[in-house]
Amino acid sequence: MQADEMEVPIINNINSNCNKQRPLPNGRDVFKNLLKDWESSMESPNLEFEYGDTDSLTAELSEIYSYTEEPEFALNRDYFEEDFRSHVRGRRWIELGQEQQRAYVMRLLDALEVTDRDKRLKVARAILYLAQGVFDECDTDTDVIHWSRHNVFLLYDMGVFTALLELLSMEMDNNQACSSAVRKPAISLADSTELRVLLSIMYLMVETIRLQTEDDRPEWRTAREAFKTELGSPLYNGEPFSLLLFTMVTKFCSMNAPHFPMKKVLLLLWKTILFTMGGFEELQEMKVRGRERLSLPPLPEDSIKVIRSMRAASPPASAMELIEQQQQAKRGRRSRRPLVKQDSLDTYNERDPFKNDDARDEEEDGEEADSGIEGEVDPLDRDVIIQPPPPPPPLRPPTERASLPKGLPWAPKVREKDIEHFLETSRNKFIGFTLGNDTETLVGLPRPIHESVKTLKQHKYVSIAEMQIKREEELQQCPMTLGEEDVDETPTEILYLGMLPNLSQYVIALLKLLLAAAPTSKAKTDSINILADVLPEEMPITVLQSMKLGIDVNRHKEIIVKAISALLLLLLKHLKLNHIYQFEIVSQHLVFANCIPLILKFFNQNIMSYISAKNSICVLDFPHCVVHEMPELTAESLEAGDSNQFCWRNLFSCINLLRILNKLTKWKHSRTMMLVVFKSAPILKRALKVKQAMMQLYVLKLLKIQTKYLGRQWRKSNMKTMSAIYQKVRHRLNDDWAYGNDIDARPWDFQAEECALRESIEKFNSRRYDKNQNGEFAPVDNCLQSVLGQRVELPEDFHYSYEMWLEREVFSQPIQWEGLLQQAQ
């Protein structure tokens, strides 16, 4: 049962008990103790979390390995040392010169081309050990990272990535392994050994080369740019590397290859797209450059900097607080208190997050119970109400407040449509007719309307998407005169072109995996098995082993959610910047695949427990586990978990999913109504318990767009949330989000809105990507000499059979010349 649904029957029950005047002995003391226990259990500290493209390098490197893969670290080392000692005697890898290291890597590359699978696997493990930083020759984690970086750039320079890609394609097409895995009742780590080794090396190479450090050598920076271009270009069988990984995802979800290690595939896919297209800061720079190219005014602020400077707000009242408020309202009906200022969710307010608003609740309760007319006040209480308010609480020292920003965090925005709508309403009211889309003519309108229009135009914001839509309409109307559009071959454009034929399959596969990894999902026999690359061959037999595997499975699911959420968000943001209709088609596929209820289902849990989950064992994380002595694990140490205040990846995943939900619903009335229909308000309200500014901002955005549809009573009961929306979310100057005027007259036709959008998308794709769409407008060559003089591409076997063809089709066939002449006449 939802929290908001629980509040009403509980409150009614307490009210009925109060009316019967049968209080429990010492009931107030019991209730106070209960409330204290509730508050202490629900107390949510401020989370010192900085949102970014990824977590720290060591955290990202450790997540590629499951804890059940731990014995394979020693296996990689043993295979490397066995081969290395047979060729380089008496020396260690870190003691070799650059040329000697290159010569040894070349020898490993040659050994990769053998036909024996076992020998190939041993060589691949030796290469993986090099990519892992030859940890047996290192003393600290820093040394491992240093040598891993050195070796990865060496491996890339020697062409190892291309060789691994060929092996990966072979393993993908290994029908024998796929059919064997399909027939198996239980799949384990052993079924994906080759794939896991290859994907681990490729992930280490992509993630290490992607990160730029200050002490990088010049040749490393050159290699980074070359690798970035290589991954984003259609160099691998005519398609970018990301598309190969998308194919692995769809093949896995279609149950044709259940042994594929999906966690590694998803992590590698996310990091490849992050590397080739760019992260959030690069997106911001691309947006600035895009606005400059279109001669649009600069952005009013840097959204990343604004969000990072925001402070978390106190969460709204809990159900227990509402019960206490209702009881106090009933007891204090006869002696009403003076009006006091509402304890708002101020951005910089550091009061008790669960402080009761007794005066406000009593006042609201009194309005409903004592008067039939809204806002009417009992005459006997007037002298009480107008009493001066109590003195305000002491302010903070001036030194603390000096550094805080003043005013609202965001500059207000106005769309061109808003100005047109405002002028249309004003003209109808004052002069009785309209002028269409004219926003310049103000004749006949009173002076205040002139000032209003001036203010609206000062804050008018034209987005890149609006310019793209306008340009697309022009190209559709004048396909001949405007000529062909010049499309830049960016990594985003190349990937979209490759994804377009199977886009719906990719989206559905990602959502299937997200559903299987969500903590709220129930285990079903027909669901996808995403644990194939975490379950060992021999299941645990002791309690300690079971606990360790349980933590590993939960961690495995969390990493999958993290990778998918980050991947989808990056795709949406890059496609929207590249072209709005590319973004819209992916968004529509997500909506049709039930992404909105899926994300709401994900948040319909104890979100504080999810964010503070301790599903990690620090001593088993790479590179710590390969450098330091392993302490003895006990059940108590596993239960205690780490000392972190929150789990970075889970908070990161939650923010990503909220951002995706915002992108899907923004300016889409029918999808906003889906949020209302799926009862998202109580689910999102519970997410406000997490005291992290960025997460709260995106929750409040989702609440803002549906506030007007939730009814007056909801808004009245959630004034703290309304206040937080006002303080944190950007304002649209003539948006009546807090009032909900005339919303009943607005139709909700989901099918019509989505069909109209789909029609625009199909026209865009047809115009830009359908090569045959302009066939009827193509010029025709009527000159016989030039037509016969054109070179025609003939198949290779034509030269061997053309004489036979001439004999059969030409010489042996009689031609009726008279008939041809008669037909011509």
Side-chain angles (χ1 to χ4, degrees):
M1 187 181 290
Q2 311 293 345
D4 286 15
E5 296 173 16
M6 292 173 58
E7 292 169 7
V8 176
I10 294 174
I11 291 169
N12 291 338
N13 187 28
I14 290 177
N15 289 344
S16 63
N17 287 337
C18 291
N19 293 334
K20 293 175 185 177
Q21 296 181 351
R22 289 186 296 176
L24 295 170
N26 297 325
R28 183 173 178 81
D29 296 334
V30 172
F31 192 91
K32 277 189 173 181
N33 293 334
L34 186 62
L35 184 61
K36 282 182 181 178
D37 293 341
W38 178 275
E39 288 180 356
S40 61
S41 65
M42 291 300 293
E43 179 65 29
S44 172
N46 285 299
L47 304 181
E48 298 299 325
F49 170 83
E50 184 172 342
Y51 185 79
D53 293 319
T54 60
D55 201 350
S56 63
L57 176 61
T58 52
E60 295 295 337
L61 293 182
S62 69
E63 288 180 353
I64 191 68
Y65 311 108
S66 301
Y67 294 146
T68 46
E69 292 180 88
E70 182 196 351
E72 297 187 13
F73 289 124
L75 204 59
N76 300 337
R77 179 196 60 207
D78 295 341
Y79 283 137
F80 171 81
E81 290 184 348
E82 177 187 340
D83 185 77
F84 186 70
R85 286 171 183 167
S86 64
H87 292 85
V88 183
R89 298 183 181 277
R91 299 181 69 184
R92 300 191 303 170
W93 171 264
I94 61 177
E95 297 171 353
L96 296 182
Q98 183 82 4
E99 290 305 317
Q100 292 172 305
Q101 290 178 346
R102 293 173 68 89
Y104 180 73
V105 171
M106 183 60 72
R107 207 203 65 76
L108 288 178
L109 269 175
D110 292 338
L112 267 183
E113 297 180 2
V114 299
T115 55
D116 190 335
R117 285 174 61 88
D118 293 335
K119 290 182 179 178
R120 272 207 317 266
L121 178 60
K122 289 183 178 181
V123 174
R125 285 197 179 279
I127 294 175
L128 177 56
Y129 178 70
L130 285 175
Q132 288 171 340
V134 287
F135 48 79
D136 202 46
E137 302 177 21
C138 301
D139 298 323
T140 63
D141 296 3
T142 309
D143 291 342
V144 174
I145 299 298
H146 168 77
W147 280 105
S148 172
R149 190 170 186 79
H150 170 86
N151 295 342
V152 159
F153 276 100
L154 175 64
L155 293 173
Y156 171 71
D157 190 40
M158 299 298 293
V160 170
F161 192 86
T162 306
L164 294 174
L165 188 62
E166 294 176 2
L167 291 176
L168 181 64
S169 300
M170 285 173 51
E171 289 297 330
M172 281 178 60
D173 298 332
N174 187 347
N175 296 324
Q176 183 180 356
C178 292
S179 58
S180 173
V182 169
R183 290 194 302 269
K184 275 193 174 183
I187 305 173
S188 65
L189 275 173
D191 297 292
S192 59
T193 304
E194 291 87 354
L195 281 168
R196 284 187 296 105
V197 171
L198 295 174
L199 290 168
S200 295
I201 303 171
M202 297 170 96
Y203 177 84
L204 289 172
M205 293 182 72
V206 170
E207 178 64 5
T208 304
I209 296 176
R210 181 186 69 83
L211 287 173
Q212 187 170 352
T213 59
E214 296 178 358
D215 56 348
D216 276 355
R217 305 170 192 167
E219 59 268 24
W220 286 4
R221 296 181 182 179
T222 306
R224 176 180 297 105
E225 293 304 316
F227 193 33
K228 180 178 179 180
T229 306
E230 184 182 327
L231 287 175
S233 303
L235 299 179
Y236 308 110
N237 299 324
E239 59 187 30
F241 178 56
S242 303
L243 212 59
L244 179 74
L245 298 174
F246 269 118
T247 306
M248 291 187 73
V249 173
T250 52
K251 198 170 180 182
F252 174 83
C253 289
S254 62
M255 303 293 184
N256 293 326
H259 66 296
F260 280 4
M262 256 314 101
K263 185 188 78 172
K264 295 184 190 293
V265 173
L266 290 168
L267 282 172
L268 181 55
L269 177 56
W270 165 38
K271 294 302 173 62
T272 303
I273 288 180
L274 179 61
F275 185 23
T276 55
M277 298 186 187
F280 300 127
E281 292 186 1
E282 287 92 338
L283 271 163
Q284 188 75 5
E285 294 171 3
M286 290 161 63
K287 194 173 182 180
V288 170
R289 292 197 300 269
R291 293 184 68 83
E292 288 176 356
R293 282 197 303 270
L294 295 170
S295 302
L296 293 173
L299 293 166
E301 69 274 301
D302 186 338
S303 57
I304 296 176
K305 292 180 181 177
V306 172
I307 293 174
R308 283 178 179 170
S309 66
M310 294 175 77
R311 298 276 297 278
S314 301
S318 64
M320 295 298 290
E321 285 185 87
L322 293 176
I323 297 170
E324 173 73 7
Q325 292 165 10
Q326 289 286 335
Q327 284 202 334
Q328 289 182 355
K330 291 292 181 184
R331 287 194 298 269
R333 192 67 60 116
R334 293 179 184 175
S335 58
R336 303 184 63 176
R337 298 182 184 180
L339 286 174
V340 295
K341 182 182 177 184
Q342 177 196 340
D343 179 16
S344 64
L345 274 172
D346 194 334
T347 310
Y348 315 115
N349 191 1
E350 295 296 329
R351 301 181 198 171
D352 180 20
F354 293 93
K355 182 181 174 189
N356 292 325
D357 290 342
D358 299 335
R360 177 177 63 80
D361 285 297
E362 287 174 12
E363 182 212 345
E364 289 180 358
D365 200 81
E367 283 183 7
E368 291 180 324
D370 295 340
S371 67
I373 303 174
E374 183 180 343
E376 186 180 344
V377 182
D378 189 345
L380 296 176
D381 291 337
R382 282 179 183 164
D383 57 336
V384 180
I385 292 177
I386 60 175
Q387 287 178 2
L395 297 175
R396 288 182 174 190
T399 53
E400 289 187 22
R401 299 185 65 89
S403 60
L404 297 176
K406 294 182 179 179
L408 298 173
W410 304 100
K413 284 183 181 178
V414 179
R415 294 186 299 169
E416 182 75 19
K417 290 180 182 178
D418 298 331
I419 301 176
E420 292 172 5
H421 178 69
F422 175 75
L423 278 172
E424 183 181 1
T425 306
S426 302
R427 287 171 183 147
N428 271 326
K429 180 178 179 181
F430 292 105
I431 57 180
F433 64 89
T434 61
L435 298 176
N437 296 334
D438 185 357
T439 58
E440 302 299 327
T441 306
L442 302 177
V443 177
L445 296 174
R447 193 69 193 167
I449 300 297
H450 288 231
E451 297 294 330
S452 299
V453 173
K454 181 181 176 183
T455 304
L456 290 174
K457 286 185 176 179
Q458 282 177 351
H459 295 94
K460 187 173 84 167
Y461 176 78
V462 180
S463 66
I464 295 175
E466 290 174 291
M467 298 294 289
Q468 290 171 341
I469 291 172
K470 186 178 178 181
R471 174 65 176 167
E472 184 62 26
E473 290 173 353
E474 293 172 353
L475 288 169
Q476 294 286 353
Q477 290 173 357
C478 312
M480 298 296 293
T481 57
L482 291 178
E484 292 188 4
E485 184 184 16
D486 293 329
V487 181
D488 295 333
E489 290 293 315
T490 60
T492 309
E493 183 69 28
I494 293 168
L495 181 61
Y496 176 77
L497 187 57
M499 291 177 65
L500 189 56
N502 302 308
L503 187 57
S504 62
Q505 296 177 29
Y506 299 146
V507 168
I508 291 171
L510 288 175
L511 292 184
K512 278 184 177 180
L513 292 169
L514 183 60
L515 176 63
T520 52
S521 296
K522 301 292 187 294
K524 294 181 181 177
T525 54
D526 58 343
S527 62
I528 299 175
N529 177 21
I530 57 172
L531 305 178
D533 52 332
V534 70
L535 296 177
E537 286 186 270
E538 298 179 0
M539 295 306 289
I541 54 175
T542 66
V543 174
L544 186 64
Q545 290 174 343
S546 300
M547 290 179 66
K548 179 182 169 184
L549 182 59
I551 291 172
D552 204 4
V553 166
N554 290 336
R555 174 178 177 266
H556 184 81
K557 291 182 177 180
E558 290 172 1
I559 295 170
I560 289 177
V561 172
K562 171 187 174 182
I564 295 175
S565 63
L567 167 63
L568 285 175
L569 180 61
L570 269 180
L571 267 180
L572 289 174
K573 288 185 75 68
H574 277 285
L575 290 173
K576 187 174 184 180
L577 194 57
N578 199 53
H579 200 287
I580 182 63
Y581 284 134
Q582 295 176 350
F583 161 81
E584 292 291 4
I585 189 171
V586 175
S587 298
Q588 200 166 65
H589 280 304
L590 285 168
V591 172
F592 289 166
N594 287 329
C595 182
I596 292 177
L598 171 57
I599 294 177
L600 292 176
K601 179 180 180 181
F602 180 89
F603 280 96
N604 193 19
Q605 60 171 312
N606 187 339
I607 206 69
M608 279 304 302
S609 297
Y610 184 73
I611 284 171
S612 58
K614 306 292 186 184
N615 291 316
S616 59
I617 308 170
C618 297
V619 293
L620 295 181
D621 285 339
F622 179 87
H624 185 278
C625 64
V626 295
V627 176
H628 303 279
E629 288 291 328
M630 187 66 60
E632 184 180 356
L633 293 175
T634 62
E636 290 76 16
S637 64
L638 291 182
E639 282 183 355
D642 55 31
S643 58
N644 292 333
Q645 191 182 15
F646 57 90
C647 177
W648 196 96
R649 64 173 165 265
N650 289 354
L651 188 48
F652 177 72
S653 302
C654 289
I655 293 174
N656 288 339
L657 291 173
L658 288 170
R659 296 184 75 182
I660 292 168
L661 201 52
N662 268 288
K663 289 199 169 296
L664 295 181
T665 53
K666 188 176 182 181
W667 304 121
K668 302 288 191 302
H669 176 244
S670 60
R671 297 178 191 175
T672 303
M673 292 305 296
M674 287 178 69
L675 292 178
V676 179
V677 169
F678 289 127
K679 294 182 171 55
S680 65
I683 297 172
L684 294 169
K685 223 182 115 183
R686 284 200 299 275
L688 288 174
K689 295 288 183 188
V690 181
K691 291 186 69 175
Q692 204 283 323
M694 191 171 191
M695 182 167 171
Q696 287 184 343
L697 172 66
Y698 289 108
V699 170
L700 293 170
K701 280 187 173 186
L702 289 166
L703 287 171
K704 178 186 175 181
I705 61 175
Q706 56 177 316
T707 296
K708 62 173 72 175
Y709 307 109
L710 297 176
R712 180 180 176 277
Q713 187 56 46
W714 187 92
R715 296 194 293 272
K716 185 178 176 183
S717 306
N718 293 274
M719 287 308 296
K720 279 190 172 184
T721 305
M722 300 286 284
S723 175
I725 292 172
Y726 173 79
Q727 290 167 351
K728 287 182 172 293
V729 182
R730 188 191 302 277
H731 287 274
R732 300 277 169 174
L733 289 183
N734 48 358
D735 183 11
D736 61 344
W737 65 272
Y739 304 101
N741 297 325
D742 301 327
I743 61 165
D744 294 332
R746 187 165 184 191
W748 176 36
D749 192 343
F750 176 84
Q751 193 169 4
E753 289 186 32
E754 297 295 340
C755 285
L757 178 60
R758 189 54 173 263
E759 185 181 358
S760 300
I761 294 168
E762 287 177 350
K763 285 181 179 178
F764 162 77
N765 284 330
S766 175
R767 181 193 62 77
R768 185 183 276 199
Y769 303 111
D770 188 358
K771 301 304 179 185
N772 301 321
Q773 49 105 17
N774 282 329
E776 57 183 299
F777 301 115
V780 178
D781 188 356
N782 294 317
C783 178
L784 182 64
Q785 186 175 0
S786 65
V787 169
L788 292 176
Q790 289 178 1
R791 293 185 62 85
V792 179
E793 293 293 333
L794 299 171
E796 292 181 3
D797 58 347
F798 177 79
H799 300 286
Y800 302 105
S801 58
Y802 79 98
E803 291 181 351
M804 188 185 303
W805 179 85
L806 279 173
E807 182 65 35
R808 186 180 67 247
E809 300 293 336
V810 180
F811 300 142
S812 64
Q813 296 291 334
I815 300 174
Q816 303 291 336
W817 297 103
E818 293 82 0
L820 287 173
L821 291 172
Q822 289 173 1
Q823 289 177 8
Q825 292 175 357

